[in-house]
Amino acid sequence: MDAIAELFKLIGVGLMSGLFSSWIANKDHRQRKWWELRVLAYQNAIEALSDVIYFYECHMAAEVESREISDEASELLSKKCSESFSKIRKYADSGAFLFSDNVSESLKRFIEPYDAINYFDHLDTNLFLVKKCLKEIVECSKVDLALKSDWFTNLWFFALISAVVMVVSF
């Protein structure tokens, strides 16, 4: 009879250990996947803002130097800017799903329309806004994407499982 009780104890301990290990692995996998998704979103948003900055810097330099941008270069820049602005708009619409509230607000402020006095004012203001938005996103990404240790939760469950195993063993 003692052998059967010991066998059931071992089965119980093995089952609890297996379930606990599976739970930890599944939780860790889901957190990693979510983190990778957020990293990709931040990376794409930063790249899109960088492309928009390049567009405005090229046009600003041409305006300051009183020179024309070639039609081919202008078309290429406009196409890249349009694609990037479309991405930024989509990220602003996704809101706090992928980004923190601060990043979401920064993106929304950037895409808000405004009235410019002239072309130079339009370039200058947009360049300032996109640089400000990029700076805010980079600063927030350092906090939002920092790896958080969940060791306390794992330690707590390990202690609980250990206590159950000790009680079952005696």
Side-chain angles (χ1 to χ4, degrees), residues 52-92:
V52 173
I53 286 174
Y54 181 69
F55 172 83
Y56 284 117
E57 284 179 342
C58 287
H59 283 277
M60 180 68 93
E63 189 71 20
V64 168
E65 296 169 3
S66 299
R67 63 177 169 81
E68 292 289 323
I69 297 177
S70 70
D71 290 339
E72 296 151 354
S74 181
E75 184 178 323
L76 183 64
L77 285 171
S78 294
K79 180 181 176 188
K80 191 71 171 170
C81 182
S82 178
E83 291 171 0
S84 297
F85 200 80
S86 177
K87 288 179 187 178
I88 294 167
R89 192 178 318 103
K90 288 177 186 175
Y91 285 126

Side-chain angles (χ1 to χ4, degrees), residues 4 8 11 20 27 33-34 36 42-43 56 62-63 79 95 108-109 122-123 125 133 138 140 147 160 162:
I4 294 174
F8 280 126
I11 290 171
F20 176 66
K27 183 178 177 184
K33 283 298 192 182
W34 182 246
E36 288 172 1
Y42 273 93
Q43 180 182 1
Y56 284 117
E63 189 71 20
K79 180 181 176 188
K108 286 179 183 176
R109 275 193 313 269
H122 166 76
L123 292 175
T125 304
C133 184
V138 168
C140 288
L147 294 175
L160 179 66
S162 299

